[in-house]
Amino acid sequence: MKVSLVHYLVSYLPLIALVKGDTPLLNNITTSPPEIDVPGPKTINGVVCLPPNIVFQQFDPLKPKSVPKYSLPQYDESKVVGPTANLDADVVELLNSLTIEEKVGQMTQIFSSMFLGCDGLVNMTATIEWFDKWKIGSVYTDTATAGGYWNYNSPQRSANFTNTLQQVATTYGSKIPMIYGIDSVRGANFIKGAVIFPAPVNTAATFNPIHAYEAGRIAAKDTRAAGIQWAFGPLSDISMEKLWSRNVENFGEDPYLAGEMVYNSIRGVQGNYKMDRTRVAACMKHFIGYSAPINGKDQEQRLIPWNYLMEYIVPSFQRAVDAGVATGMESYGSLNGGDVVASKALLKDLLRDKMGFNGMMTTDFGEINSQYQKHMTAFNASDAAMSSLNYTTIDMSMVGTSENFTNATIYLVKGGVIPESRINESAGRILQLKKDLGLFEQPFSDPSLIDTVGSAQDVEVARNSARESIILHQNKNNVLPLSVDEKVLFIGPNMNSTRFLGGGWNAHWQGPTDAE
């Protein structure tokens, strides 16, 4: 059974006339996505199986061809390309044409699970509602993470999904292309067939910034092949607490080394991203102090003296800004007793005014709503939205699975609690980012990139990084190199586990399941 984007649209998308917008940016959008054939789900006598609960997700039989070699268009990267403080004239024109609902919708990012049915496949009714009623501007993460039918999506299947959502986004509601975000932390780790690179801590162990650049460049290409334009990385924290579970995602504990790796990673991910459509927007995260929880547990509070913060933790984020990073993500939890997501001192005075960050800022998962759901520092969704938007320069809320941020923000703007000028700031930065990434020209995936995913030339780049990251502390009694005639005993519960040896951000956030 072949299921393509066209089948989705013919079967589910109501036949409506696509009414173009009145602004030049909307009039230029390509609205015909490429057709990418993918095998459909299993059937019994022609009937699609709809299990009540997907205990074991199905393996996606598709793989990219992974051509041995490939070449891509080259663009000038001699100068740093990044966001600017001012919006382009056509972006301002589009912004001024939008309603409050459409502007706030642009600031809303929704979890991919909300576009899936109980069978783990696209739910077109729900998809249309999100874009038509709430006019959302962004979607994030892969469907495998969100409970989708397939356990690990090939670039073909990923592109089919993102193109389907993009077609709805440009047909309903504001008709503005959505931007799709995903955690491409060590290569395009959520795309089946993509080359998985060494974890960032290993990349740092090479002491060779070219490996950070190359990992970013290849991750960007493979992410774009899936129709995704925004990578949530690199992590720009430095490792500060040995008990913290996410140290592997950082470039180590040295501020200078981490800063250089962050800088080169962003140059690799973005390149000349305003022209090069094989690159994506990078995202420095998690701003700031996330890696120093007082008890080592993720998302716990941090207590960091200001002078320590400025001397040790800010420098790697400053290097991200120096590299022209297009976006940033604020940190979970609190720093020195105050929620980061509502901190004027951190997200305006420090980040914007002192460090000079002009890019688009998003929250981490559900952090605005966490003020009343977890931290107990706000009364409700309205109070939380008011605190974050009035006191900080956050542009997008990674909401998750609810429309409460969108609804509350619209209510507050119409009631005069949040000035519309504040909404214009954020919606404007989001629209400018979309223009910079070429979404108003071609919002869909580029099928020509699919067969470059997993190329042998990319594999060799990753292997070189792994080779250089291996550190020999001491070769006592000339144990190395091992002789082929020797017997070696490997001890430890994880020595025969590819799941643990492969680490996190490998197929899934915490690696493959035991069954996989």
Side-chain angles (χ1 to χ4, degrees):
M1 177 182 177
K2 293 286 187 178
V3 180
S4 71
L5 176 61
V6 172
H7 290 113
Y8 280 135
L9 297 179
V10 170
S11 300
Y12 299 104
L13 195 61
L15 299 176
I16 65 169
L18 176 60
V19 179
K20 294 283 189 175
D22 294 329
T23 65
L25 278 181
L26 291 184
N27 281 325
N28 292 332
I29 299 174
T30 299
T31 57
S32 299
E35 182 175 346
I36 302 173
D37 283 338
V38 296
K42 292 181 179 179
T43 62
I44 299 176
N45 296 325
V47 178
V48 175
C49 304
L50 302 180
N53 293 291
I54 303 175
V55 180
F56 294 108
Q57 292 171 304
Q58 296 296 306
F59 284 91
D60 186 348
L62 277 177
K63 291 182 179 179
K65 290 181 180 178
S66 300
V67 295
K69 293 183 179 180
Y70 62 88
S71 60
L72 299 172
Q74 299 299 305
Y75 295 86
D76 182 15
E77 296 182 32
S78 61
K79 296 181 180 180
V80 171
V81 177
T84 59
N86 299 317
L87 304 179
D88 293 346
D90 52 359
V91 172
V92 173
E93 183 180 2
L94 173 58
L95 177 65
N96 290 338
S97 73
L98 301 181
T99 65
I100 292 174
E101 288 81 1
E102 289 171 331
K103 293 173 185 177
V104 175
Q106 287 299 299
M107 299 167 63
T108 304
Q109 187 180 56
I110 297 297
F111 195 49
S112 62
S113 66
M114 302 309 292
F115 308 95
L116 303 177
C118 61
D119 56 354
L121 302 174
V122 176
N123 180 337
M124 290 301 295
T125 302
T127 300
I128 291 171
E129 180 174 3
W130 278 110
F131 286 102
D132 193 33
K133 180 177 180 180
W134 298 107
K135 307 172 190 351
I136 63 170
S138 184
V139 179
Y140 70 104
T141 209
D142 64 314
T143 58
T145 299
Y149 190 91
W150 308 98
N151 80 313
Y152 193 14
N153 292 322
S154 61
Q156 296 96 315
R157 198 173 301 280
S158 298
N160 199 4
F161 178 75
T162 58
N163 286 341
T164 300
L165 267 57
Q166 196 68 275
Q167 177 73 1
V168 176
T170 54
T171 303
Y172 288 92
S174 64
K175 301 180 177 62
I176 295 173
M178 59 104 184
I179 182 171
Y180 203 113
I182 200 168
D183 288 281
S184 292
V185 176
R186 43 187 299 206
N189 39 256
F190 284 162
I191 307 301
K192 181 180 179 181
V195 176
I196 304 294
F197 280 79
V201 69
N202 270 70
T203 303
T206 69
F207 290 87
N208 186 350
I210 190 62
H211 291 303
Y213 174 89
E214 290 291 353
R217 178 185 63 82
I218 294 169
K221 169 185 68 70
D222 294 351
T223 300
R224 271 279 188 172
I228 298 171
Q229 315 87 14
W230 184 13
F232 298 147
L235 280 77
S236 305
D237 313 288
I238 62 169
S239 298
M240 298 179 63
E241 168 54 65
K242 292 173 181 167
L243 295 176
W244 190 50
S245 58
R246 299 186 67 173
N247 283 316
V248 66
E249 302 174 47
N250 298 333
F251 291 109
E253 61 185 349
D254 180 81
Y256 176 77
L257 175 61
E260 293 310 295
M261 291 293 175
V262 165
Y263 180 91
N264 284 275
S265 176
I266 291 168
R267 295 300 304 274
V269 171
Q270 291 190 174
N272 191 341
Y273 74 102
K274 296 183 182 182
M275 296 181 65
D276 189 347
R277 300 311 174 213
T278 69
R279 302 298 182 94
V280 299
C283 181
M284 62 175 182
K285 63 180 189 180
H286 308 80
F287 194 86
I288 191 168
Y290 178 46
S291 58
I294 57 172
N295 58 6
K297 293 183 179 180
D298 191 42
Q299 302 184 29
E300 289 286 350
Q301 65 168 314
R302 287 86 67 191
L303 301 174
I304 306 172
W306 189 260
N307 63 317
Y308 197 95
L309 186 84
M310 295 298 294
E311 184 171 355
Y312 291 100
I313 304 174
V314 166
S316 54
F317 284 96
Q318 184 63 63
R319 289 298 282 157
V321 176
D322 296 343
V325 67
T327 73
M329 182 184 295
E330 60 82 37
S331 171
Y332 282 119
S334 67
L335 176 64
N336 298 332
D339 287 349
V340 174
V341 76
S343 174
K344 176 180 179 293
L346 295 173
L347 300 186
K348 185 180 185 302
D349 299 345
L350 175 60
L351 179 64
R352 301 286 188 182
D353 298 341
K354 186 174 181 63
M355 297 174 64
F357 176 61
N358 291 320
M360 193 271 284
M361 171 64 68
T362 183
T363 71
D364 210 328
F365 180 80
E367 269 302 277
I368 288 180
N369 290 335
S370 286
Q371 291 176 88
Y372 74 93
Q373 293 174 342
K374 290 168 59 178
H375 308 161
M376 303 306 159
T377 53
F379 294 109
N380 50 37
S382 295
D383 192 32
M386 183 276 295
S387 296
S388 291
L389 296 180
N390 275 348
Y391 299 149
T392 79
T393 59
I394 286 171
D395 299 311
M396 182 178 288
S397 177
M398 188 186 289
V399 179
T401 59
S402 169
E403 71 283 351
N404 55 8
F405 163 80
T406 315
N407 202 32
T409 303
I410 292 170
Y411 174 82
L412 292 169
V413 175
K414 289 186 173 180
V417 178
I418 297 176
E420 187 172 358
S421 59
R422 171 66 186 86
I423 302 303
N424 288 342
E425 282 182 30
S426 291
R429 279 192 283 258
I430 294 166
L431 294 173
Q432 184 66 56
L433 174 64
K434 292 182 176 183
K435 181 190 174 183
D436 291 344
L437 290 167
L439 290 178
F440 290 110
E441 302 166 11
Q442 172 51 274
F444 301 105
S445 70
D446 180 356
S448 69
L449 294 176
I450 288 175
D451 288 340
T452 72
V453 175
S455 169
Q457 74 181 54
D458 294 346
V459 171
E460 188 60 21
V461 171
R463 283 179 176 164
N464 284 335
S465 179
R467 291 176 183 124
E468 288 192 33
S469 75
I470 297 172
I471 298 172
L472 176 63
H473 288 282
Q474 186 181 40
N475 192 13
K476 192 173 183 180
N477 299 324
N478 294 317
V479 170
L480 298 178
L482 297 173
S483 168
V484 294
D485 298 324
E486 289 181 294
K487 293 184 178 179
V488 180
L489 175 64
F490 290 90
I491 299 175
N494 298 327
M495 289 308 301
N496 66 342
S497 170
T498 56
R499 176 189 181 192
F500 282 94
L501 291 175
W505 299 118
N506 168 26
H508 309 303
W509 174 36
Q510 298 187 23
T513 65
D514 287 330
E516 290 167 332

